[in-house]
Amino acid sequence: MITLLILIPIIGSLMILPLQEDYLNNKNKIKTIAITTSIINFIVSIFLWLEFDSNTNQYQFVTEFDYLPIGHLIFGVDGISLYFVLLTTFITPVAILSNYNNINVNIKYFLVSLLILESLQLALFLILDLLLFYVFFESVLPLFFIKILVYGSGESRDRSANLLFLYTLFGSLFMALAIVQLYSYTYTTDFQLLSLCDISLEGQKLLWLAFFLAFAIKTPLWPFTGWLYRAHADSPLAGSILLAATILKFATYGYIRILINFLPDATNYFGPLVQTIAIVTLIYASLSTIIQQDTKTLIAYSSIAHMSIVILGLFSNNIQGIEGAILLALAHGFVSPALFICVGGIIYDRTGTRVIKYIRGLVTYMPIFTILFFIFTLCNTGIPLSLNFLGEQLSLIGIWEVNPIISALGATGIVLSACYSIFLYNRISYGKYSPHMNKVVLDLSRREFILLITLLIPTILLGIFPNLILDSIHLSVSSLLFN
Amino acid sequence: MIFISLLILIVAIATPSIRINLSPNLFIRLSAIIFIYAGGISFNTFYIHSIESGVGIYSGLYQVTAISQLIDMLIYLTGSLILTAWPIFNKNSTLEINYETVNKTNEDRIMNPCTEYSLIVMFSTLGASLLISSADLISLYLSIELQSFGVYILSTLYRDSESATSAGLKYFLLGGLSSCLILLGIALIYSYSAITNFESLYTLISVLYSDFNNLSDISTGIVYGLLLILIGLLFKIAAAPLHNWAPDVYDNSPTIVTIWLTIMPKISILFLILEIINDKIIEIKYLFLISALLSIILGTIVGLSQIKIKRLLAYSTISHIGFMLLALVINTIQSTEAFIFYIIQYTLTNLNTFLILLALGYTINRKILLKNNNLINSDITLISQLKGQFFNNPLLSISLSICLFSMAGVPPLLGFFSKYFVLYSAIFSGYYLLSIIAILGSVISASYYLKIIKILYTEDTKESNIDKVDNVNEESVISNLHSFLIASLTLLILLFLFKPTLILNSVQLLSLSIFNDC
């Protein structure tokens, strides 16, 4: 099952490669193949979910390829990684569909790289070996770098692609050193064996810092936020969607899987540090969100703020906090792409601008869009009945048990997020119709409507029945707690 | 067995003088085949059991060991691969030579070197393979000179080009200086100990250093001699404090020669150092540590400001040398393994990068190439010439970016694993500071690789349209062999992850065999 999951996108991209994109017919064929492959993969992952046994916290569907001498290739899924896998397979068709019409040159390589990215991301969430985890963590970078360079829209995309690459490479090389050091302590990089190993607190501290640096850059936490909003602003829409939905989740997954799981003592020791950094990030990101002029940058900053609440939840060391963090991470994976589609796709395609000043009064011509945009804006601020609400609430409850002050400070994030989300919505939708835009803009096309509805359904559905998710992660999460 | 390969080489060298009218194309293919054959023979020797511990030949002047055989094979194969980059020129130039042999025009003189190229290459390779198996200071010096002279001539091969001549002269003068240093070192050692043989030198050193309180004059003489020799060798591989000649020479000589310069002398000399290096002498260790550190730092930082692609690659070479020296210093089984692996990786990646650059040069400057048959003009010099190549030659530029990512050490590629092994052995032996500096260095160097990649992928709207028209009209100028080579090397770099056993196992066996000897 897992092998299938990873191989399907690769097979799809191999099918696309020999086709020439000279003719319109072939172009359509390429697109159809890409989207079909990703949907098939999503269906396969649904079967994975159905067959998942939530009464055990062991790794399931373990598939091992033992002919590799460098850290063996072993895949498996447990309650923590399951939903990240589902999120990846869910978001890839959305990403492919989002740039369905507006990329015309070199679409073949664009789609191939998207499909390969899907395989790499899945491999990252499924791998049960630390060294290969690192390999997949990094291997996303070059593809993403090229994607921003070639298909990006911004003027300064060189700079943002460079920053993306160098920031992440810098952090993750320290992770590489830490993996080497960990190996010298334990002589294994296998997840199952590592969780049985016991490392002294002194040894854990250094390792923890190195891993934390890598993940903090990827999250991103406060001193390292510089690359994210640039990358978002300049990457193509599909890139932004993937970046927000799954690539930022690498860090979330890394925190749970490596820091909390393998280095529990150091995690406990450094807890206050992480909470402080997360609070600083939250308030800093929220305040800088309010002053943004570019819509995509604004949403990028808001996702930094949400990720810092996820971090607060993760490091609360109780079941509510960690589950809330996972829920919020998922919710962010649905809502943030939807907002990117709204501003970076729908509005940008119609008006050719992303600057808030120039966009006004969309409600006159685009009522359906405005309604959907309103719902997503509310979800982003964490309104009850949405998955975001549950996630934020549980995370804050979790951190309250550790430190009420931190929790109270964290709660300001909700107010601030209401400020900037409503601000954005208000400016864009209402007022006199902007003279800078075309005379008439059309409302949502069928493709865009389907895109937004697909993202809306899970947000609301899981917001009402969170037990669909929570049931299968209870056991895995409770085994993470440190006492 | 190695005699036979040598014999074949010498015979091959003799042939050009007999039949001068033979097409250069044929010579190059012939010598490539000879290289492959010699490689096969040296691989065959690998299976002879008595050779494992080393067999002295030529009355102990040379010693054939398992490792020297395998590296011989590596050298021969790389040599044959480099030679294959040539045929495309000869397709054009052969015609002219055949028809115009009588009255040699000015243009012909540019192509003429093609005939001599293979000959000189063979001399230099002979030197390299002798160098690896040399077991005596005198044979060491002789084979180093044999190798170096070949390389000096190579870089001046294009007499009509001013830059190539100046590069060759610079290379010759500075290389001569380093040879002097090596000779001085040898003389020092000989005058203090009256020994030229490696084995007896090892024995002498271990006897002298068994008692630290009682270090005599002899030991200081030997230490200084060895230091001089090693400095000379570091000079030849362009390690950091002595690197100044490298960027100039690499940049000014034509790309085909640059491939040779960046790969062949380095492999052989680095392996020589591997055999010479000795744990007991602390000064040598410091020399190497400082050199490794400086190479990494200089190679990465100075490379940032380069605008010429071959200069940039020269600096990247320097930082790679730093990594290899770091692995050499540590001197454990793991680090030797890492060293050998790094060198193989370096050879493959560098070879592939330059082959792709050549191919890109052919395609970009196609018109110049067809009109003048001028080799030098078809080279790419500036990075900005690569602008927007993704849109004209997508596959070539994808493979170039794979190579560069691999050099930068991005994980699933070959280059990452080599850096990983070096760091791994460094941390195991407690060199924390150095490994952190190495990591920072590789992040910084990543930024200049990214610079190239970025230029590859940024569209240049004005020129790309013109080039597209060209593409339709003209046939591909890259020969089949060349493109096949690029494809297979790129796939090797990319898919190493899935079948690493071949390289890793042989590397491990080699490093074990070294430590069994000691």
Side-chain angles (χ1 to χ4, degrees):
Chain A
M1 185 83 93
I2 283 177
T3 327
L4 207 60
L5 211 55
I6 293 171
L7 280 184
I8 285 175
I10 293 181
I11 293 170
S13 57
L14 285 183
M15 280 164 70
I16 292 175
L17 267 181
L19 294 175
Q20 293 289 326
E21 51 173 300
D22 299 342
Y23 314 106
L24 194 65
N25 199 5
N26 265 359
K27 250 181 199 172
N28 287 336
K29 209 190 274 174
I30 290 172
K31 287 177 187 168
T32 324
I33 291 175
I35 194 121
T36 326
T37 342
S38 56
I39 288 175
I40 290 175
N41 216 20
F42 179 56
I43 293 170
V44 172
S45 68
I46 295 274
F47 278 108
L48 184 79
W49 187 21
L50 290 178
E51 286 184 23
F52 184 80
D53 179 10
S54 51
N55 294 320
T56 165
N57 62 354
Q58 298 297 312
Y59 294 105
Q60 299 175 35
F61 307 105
V62 174
T63 327
E64 193 170 351
F65 304 91
D66 51 0
Y67 56 84
L68 278 183
I70 313 174
H72 52 313
L73 197 60
I74 170 167
F75 292 112
V77 62
D78 71 346
I80 297 165
S81 56
L82 176 67
Y83 291 98
F84 291 108
V85 169
L86 281 170
L87 182 64
T88 312
T89 51
F90 174 76
I91 217 71
T92 309
V94 171
I96 290 175
L97 205 57
S98 72
N99 268 24
Y100 214 58
N101 290 335
N102 49 11
I103 287 184
N104 291 315
V105 188
N106 276 326
I107 185 135
K108 181 168 88 173
Y109 291 106
F110 183 74
L111 292 175
V112 166
S113 66
L114 268 182
L115 287 176
I116 291 177
L117 266 179
E118 182 182 11
S119 282
L120 290 175
Q121 289 167 354
L122 287 175
L124 176 99
F125 290 130
L126 290 170
I127 195 78
L128 299 184
D129 184 279
L130 195 53
L131 180 60
L132 289 172
F133 172 84
Y134 171 70
V135 166
F136 290 122
F137 189 83
E138 281 284 272
S139 60
V140 174
L141 272 187
L143 281 177
F144 215 83
F145 176 78
I146 290 172
K147 197 187 278 290
I148 291 182
L149 268 186
V150 180
Y151 304 100
S153 53
E155 285 293 311
S156 59
R157 58 175 186 268
D158 298 17
R159 182 175 153 77
S160 29
N162 234 357
L163 280 177
L164 164 90
F165 196 93
L166 291 180
Y167 261 99
T168 321
L169 190 68
F170 173 75
S172 51
L173 280 175
F174 280 96
M175 177 154 88
L177 274 187
I179 290 173
V180 171
Q181 184 71 4
L182 189 65
Y183 185 76
S184 76
Y185 286 142
T186 61
Y187 290 94
T188 178
T189 53
D190 187 286
F191 280 173
Q192 283 151 311
L193 294 176
L194 272 180
S195 56
L196 302 175
C197 292
D198 206 20
I199 308 165
S200 69
L201 180 60
E202 288 308 309
Q204 281 190 17
K205 278 180 192 166
L206 269 179
L207 291 180
W208 192 93
L209 283 175
F211 277 116
F212 182 70
L213 184 63
F215 296 137
I217 288 175
K218 201 81 175 180
T219 316
L221 285 180
W222 163 58
F224 310 110
T225 50
W227 63 274
L228 183 75
Y229 70 92
R230 289 201 180 91
H232 267 308
D234 289 333
S235 74
L237 181 57
S240 294
I241 290 175
L242 283 186
L243 192 58
T246 47
I247 293 182
L248 292 191
K249 305 300 179 296
F250 289 2
T252 317
Y253 179 69
Y255 286 122
I256 305 177
R257 182 64 89 210
I258 294 168
L259 292 187
I260 299 179
N261 206 357
F262 303 143
L263 308 168
D265 299 314
T267 308
N268 195 40
Y269 178 82
F270 284 113
L273 173 74
V274 181
Q275 286 154 13
T276 319
I277 294 179
I279 285 295
V280 171
T281 317
L282 176 67
I283 292 173
Y284 166 77
S286 304
L287 289 181
S288 35
T289 314
I290 295 177
I291 57 165
Q292 293 307 316
Q293 288 303 316
D294 186 314
T295 45
K296 251 182 155 181
T297 320
L298 193 147
I299 292 163
Y301 262 117
S302 89
S303 65
I304 297 176
H306 286 114
M307 290 317 285
S308 56
I309 296 185
V310 171
I311 306 296
L312 282 183
L314 283 182
F315 286 86
S316 64
N317 192 30
N318 52 45
I319 200 159
Q320 299 92 318
I322 297 178
E323 285 183 353
I326 293 175
L327 285 186
L328 183 55
L330 287 179
H332 177 258
F334 296 129
V335 173
S336 189
L339 288 175
F340 275 120
I341 291 171
C342 285
V343 299
I346 296 170
I347 297 180
Y348 185 71
D349 282 351
R350 283 170 178 66
T351 63
T353 179
R354 290 201 309 258
V355 181
I356 299 179
K357 269 184 201 164
Y358 296 142
I359 315 169
R360 217 185 317 145
L362 282 182
V363 73
T364 351
Y365 291 107
M366 306 173 72
I368 302 176
F369 166 76
T370 327
I371 290 171
L372 282 173
F373 188 41
F374 184 56
I375 297 173
F376 279 117
T377 309
L378 288 182
C379 289
N380 201 31
T381 60
I383 193 128
L385 288 189
S386 68
L387 190 55
N388 297 57
F389 167 73
L390 281 173
E392 282 182 7
Q393 226 47 40
L394 283 175
S395 302
L396 291 175
I397 289 172
I399 201 72
W400 179 273
E401 288 177 19
V402 180
N403 191 338
I405 299 173
I406 294 282
S407 182
L409 284 173
T412 58
I414 296 181
V415 181
L416 290 171
S417 83
C419 285
Y420 55 73
S421 304
I422 298 293
F423 168 80
L424 174 68
Y425 171 71
N426 191 9
R427 288 306 149 94
I428 287 183
S429 307
Y430 299 106
K432 188 164 166 267
Y433 186 74
S434 165
H436 302 287
M437 297 195 295
N438 301 339
K439 279 282 169 292
V440 177
V441 286
L442 293 175
D443 207 345
L444 297 183
S445 68
R446 196 164 61 177
R447 175 180 68 91
E448 291 156 347
F449 185 73
I450 288 173
L451 270 178
L452 289 182
I453 282 294
T454 3
L455 288 168
L456 185 61
I457 290 171
T459 319
I460 304 295
L461 185 72
L462 294 175
I464 299 171
F465 302 109
N467 278 353
L468 279 178
I469 294 178
L470 291 180
D471 276 347
S472 30
I473 60 177
H474 280 316
L475 264 175
S476 303
V477 168
S478 55
S479 68
L480 292 176
L481 299 181
F482 175 78
N483 43 12
Chain B
M1 286 297 153
I2 198 164
F3 302 132
I4 299 174
S5 60
L6 295 184
L7 209 65
I8 293 167
L9 282 176
I10 292 163
V11 169
I13 290 160
T15 39
S17 58
I18 301 168
R19 292 191 285 176
I20 203 101
N21 285 334
L22 214 63
S23 74
N25 198 1
L26 204 63
F27 271 126
I28 279 155
R29 296 212 168 141
L30 198 68
S31 43
I33 290 169
I34 287 168
F35 275 145
I36 292 172
Y37 186 62
I41 288 175
S42 51
F43 184 66
N44 219 9
T45 353
F46 194 56
Y47 286 106
I48 300 174
H49 279 286
S50 61
I51 229 161
E52 263 173 20
S53 55
V55 172
I57 53 177
Y58 293 125
S59 62
L61 284 183
Y62 296 97
Q63 191 169 29
V64 181
T65 56
I67 190 154
S68 75
Q69 285 308 297
L70 217 72
I71 300 314
D72 267 354
M73 193 180 76
L74 181 67
I75 285 180
Y76 290 138
L77 285 183
T78 328
S80 66
L81 293 186
I82 295 175
L83 283 179
T84 50
W86 278 74
I88 178 62
F89 287 105
N90 303 320
K91 251 184 231 162
N92 304 321
S93 57
T94 335
L95 295 173
E96 289 184 36
I97 286 184
N98 284 344
Y99 296 126
E100 298 176 32
T101 30
V102 191
N103 50 342
K104 285 194 173 177
T105 56
N106 204 18
E107 250 181 44
D108 264 42
R109 234 188 293 150
I110 299 171
M111 274 110 40
N112 231 3
C114 298
T115 31
E116 292 152 23
Y117 183 82
S118 58
L119 188 147
I120 296 161
V121 155
M122 284 197 175
F123 266 120
S124 148
T125 317
L126 181 66
S129 77
L130 286 178
L131 185 60
I132 287 165
S133 47
S134 62
D136 193 289
L137 288 174
I138 293 168
S139 59
L140 177 150
Y141 181 72
L142 287 179
S143 34
I144 270 196
E145 285 303 277
L146 182 57
Q147 185 195 22
S148 312
F149 275 113
V151 181
Y152 301 149
I153 299 171
L154 268 188
S155 54
T156 45
L157 207 51
Y158 298 93
R159 288 186 297 271
D160 290 359
S161 148
E162 193 182 330
S163 62
T165 324
S166 78
L169 189 61
K170 193 177 278 175
Y171 192 23
F172 172 65
L173 288 176
L174 295 175
L177 183 67
S178 66
S179 299
C180 286
L181 283 181
I182 295 174
L183 202 56
L184 181 63
I186 292 172
L188 260 180
I189 289 179
Y190 185 71
S191 66
Y192 273 92
S193 62
I195 281 175
T196 57
N197 197 311
F198 282 175
E199 282 301 320
S200 23
L201 202 61
Y202 288 145
T203 328
L204 185 64
I205 288 173
S206 54
V207 169
L208 284 175
Y209 276 77
S210 57
D211 184 8
F212 274 100
N213 303 321
N214 188 18
L215 291 179
S216 56
D217 278 357
I218 303 175
S219 71
T220 37
I222 288 176
V223 166
Y224 282 118
L226 272 180
L227 276 183
L228 279 175
I229 293 177
L230 287 174
I231 286 172
L233 292 178
L234 286 181
F235 200 101
K236 297 229 176 208
I237 55 170
L242 314 167
H243 68 282
N244 270 325
W245 58 273
D248 291 339
V249 173
Y250 292 170
D251 185 39
N252 287 333
S253 43
T255 313
I256 298 177
V257 179
T258 319
I259 305 183
W260 197 268
L261 291 184
T262 49
I263 297 173
M264 300 301 265
K266 292 194 176 167
I267 305 179
S268 54
I269 292 177
L270 278 170
F271 273 99
L272 181 71
I273 295 177
L274 175 69
E275 296 199 355
I276 290 181
I277 195 164
N278 196 317
D279 243 1
K280 295 205 177 76
I281 305 178
I282 201 84
E283 287 90 343
I284 290 180
K285 201 165 187 170
Y286 281 125
L287 174 73
F288 275 84
L289 274 180
I290 290 168
S291 174
L293 193 67
L294 283 177
S295 302
I296 292 174
I297 293 173
L298 268 173
T300 52
I301 290 174
V302 185
L304 285 175
S305 61
Q306 302 305 318
I307 54 164
K308 289 187 167 181
I309 187 150
K310 278 192 284 178
R311 277 188 98 80
L312 196 151
L313 286 175
Y315 281 106
S316 97
T317 307
I318 292 170
S319 75
H320 283 304
I321 292 281
F323 270 93
M324 290 187 232
L325 288 180
L326 178 62
L328 265 180
V329 173
I330 298 163
N331 210 7
T332 57
I333 293 184
Q334 283 159 348
S335 80
T336 315
E337 202 180 321
F339 167 72
I340 299 174
F341 184 67
Y342 203 108
I343 221 170
I344 290 172
Q345 177 272 131
Y346 167 79
T347 313
L348 293 176
T349 323
N350 227 12
L351 179 63
N352 199 12
T353 314
F354 277 110
L355 284 181
I356 294 167
L357 278 186
L358 270 180
L360 277 175
Y362 296 163
T363 44
I364 292 174
N365 301 326
R366 185 190 294 115
K367 277 181 197 147
I368 304 172
L369 183 72
L370 292 179
K371 217 176 282 169
N372 305 338
N373 272 317
N374 197 337
L375 177 71
I376 300 152
N377 290 353
S378 77
D379 279 349
I380 294 176
T381 48
L382 297 174
I383 297 177
S384 54
Q385 275 175 295
L386 293 172
K387 191 157 188 143
Q389 282 305 308
F390 174 66
F391 302 97
N392 298 333
N393 309 306
L395 287 177
L396 264 185
S397 44
I398 285 176
S399 28
L400 180 59
S401 41
I402 286 174
C403 281
L404 293 174
F405 278 130
S406 161
M407 280 192 186
V410 175
L413 307 173
L414 194 57
F416 159 71
F417 287 100
S418 58
K419 277 187 180 162
Y420 175 78
F421 289 140
V422 172
L423 290 176
Y424 174 78
S425 51
I427 282 193
F428 252 61
S429 325
Y431 291 87
Y432 292 106
L433 181 66
L434 261 179
S435 49
I436 284 177
I437 287 173
I439 273 206
L440 290 180
S442 71
V443 174
I444 297 170
S445 66
S447 82
Y448 59 70
Y449 296 123
L450 287 187
K451 194 163 80 179
I452 305 179
I453 296 169
K454 221 160 56 183
I455 284 168
L456 272 179
Y457 289 90
T458 26
E459 193 164 13
D460 191 11
T461 39
K462 273 176 281 173
E463 285 180 25
S464 59
N465 291 332
I466 306 165
D467 277 8
K468 260 173 204 159
V469 180
D470 283 359
N471 266 341
V472 183
N473 290 338
E474 294 173 41
E475 48 164 340
S476 165
V477 278
I478 309 164
S479 68
N480 281 339
L481 197 59
H482 192 163
S483 52
F484 175 70
L485 207 62
I486 291 176
S488 47
L489 282 175
T490 313
L491 282 183
L492 183 65
I493 292 169
L494 188 62
L495 300 179
F496 168 77
L497 178 65
F498 294 104
K499 191 70 182 161
T501 36
L502 182 67
I503 299 180
L504 283 185
N505 285 355
S506 52
V507 160
Q508 196 168 15
L509 282 179
L510 280 183
S511 57
L512 281 179
S513 80
I514 287 182
F515 276 82
N516 280 340
D517 287 353
C518 296

